Amino acid sequence: MPKLQIKELFKKAFKTYKLNWKFLTLITLIAWLVRFIPGYLRNLFDNPWIFYPISIINWLIGIAITLGLTKTILSLIDNQEKNLKNLYLYTLPLFVPFFLSSFFYSLITIGGIILLIVPGIIWAIKYQFFGYLIIDQNLKPKQAIKQSGLITQNYKLQLFFLMLILGLINFLGALFSLIGLIFTIPMSLLVMAYTYRQLSPAKSPTTPAT
């Protein structure tokens, strides 16, 4: 069975983080701020006619932020130019396919959870790289989900342990009054981007951008 070089993935991620920590901290704070404002406004109102529309808007913003962060991190490890426009402007044409893929992915995962939880975990791991494939290879939603299943075919158990490690790291980061998450979240994103690159090396990562 092929193996993920988990130790090497963390080494690459930490090296890239050290070279770009200011930029990574900035995009993390921007993402938090953008997510915080709708959530704050939603909690101000008890009126369901206001609460639910803002909740939907917040959900859509969350999808857009995930898309923007994925694009930004992937560009960073591929030694492309660091650009804050990747967080929103350059990703706008990808929003609809990314949204549809997220919807299909959620249905698959929820369906698996209903089927005694374990299938949901397996399918969540199997299809998790749909966003990278839309950004990286411009695939359509169903193609991206299918391709994610193919590239993770022999790595599900290793990816499961990797997710546990990242979950523990972010949990420890949250213990430090959330300040630690400013480090652990970008590190997690970098690790997952390098993991995708190991599974789908269509573009081999070069020396991280300074």
Side-chain angles (χ1 to χ4, degrees):
M1 178 185 294
K3 291 185 178 181
L4 285 175
Q5 304 297 324
I6 293 179
K7 185 177 180 180
E8 188 64 25
L9 292 173
F10 275 91
K11 284 184 178 179
K12 288 180 178 180
F14 187 64
K15 181 179 180 181
T16 303
Y17 180 85
K18 286 195 300 182
L19 292 173
N20 302 277
W21 69 270
K22 292 181 180 179
F23 177 73
L24 290 166
T25 300
L26 176 61
I27 64 173
T28 302
L29 292 175
I30 290 174
W32 280 0
L33 180 62
V34 172
R35 289 303 306 275
F36 171 79
I37 293 174
Y40 177 75
L41 293 175
R42 179 188 59 188
N43 295 331
L44 286 178
F45 302 100
D46 293 328
N47 190 327
W49 294 101
I50 299 176
F51 180 86
Y52 291 111
I54 293 180
S55 296
I56 294 173
I57 293 172
N58 194 35
W59 174 56
L60 294 175
I61 289 175
I63 293 175
I65 287 295
T66 301
L67 171 60
L69 286 175
T70 303
K71 168 65 175 176
T72 304
I73 296 295
L74 197 58
S75 297
L76 186 63
I77 72 165
D78 285 339
N79 201 30
Q80 298 176 12
E81 182 182 1
K82 292 184 291 187
N83 197 330
L84 288 176
K85 291 182 180 179
N86 284 330
L87 281 176
Y88 54 96
L89 184 60
Y90 292 166
T91 55
L92 285 179
L94 299 174
F95 180 82
V96 172
F98 193 87
F99 168 78
L100 292 175
S101 297
S102 299
F103 180 72
F104 293 146
Y105 178 75
S106 298
L107 289 180
I108 292 170
T109 305
I110 292 171
I113 291 174
I114 294 174
L115 297 173
L116 302 178
I117 300 179
V118 174
I121 296 174
I122 294 173
W123 293 343
I125 294 170
K126 181 177 180 179
Y127 300 117
Q128 65 180 307
F129 292 107
F130 68 88
Y132 293 92
L133 290 159
I134 287 174
I135 293 168
D136 189 40
Q137 301 182 24
N138 200 29
L139 297 184
K140 295 180 180 179
K142 291 185 179 179
Q143 291 175 324
I145 291 175
K146 182 178 180 180
Q147 182 64 18
S148 179
L150 292 176
I151 66 175
T152 59
Q153 187 171 1
N154 298 314
Y155 297 92
K156 295 184 188 68
L157 185 59
Q158 297 172 72
L159 288 169
F160 174 72
F161 285 117
L162 177 60
M163 290 174 67
L164 287 180
I165 293 171
L166 293 176
L168 177 60
I169 289 173
N170 283 294
F171 173 75
L172 294 174
L175 292 179
F176 294 92
S177 302
L178 299 181
I179 296 177
L181 291 175
I182 296 177
F183 166 72
T184 62
I185 288 179
M187 270 293 296
S188 298
L189 293 173
L190 287 167
V191 169
M192 291 308 298
Y194 277 116
T195 301
Y196 167 73
R197 271 287 166 254
Q198 183 173 332
L199 298 177
S200 184
K203 298 178 182 178
S204 298
T206 55
T207 304
T210 57

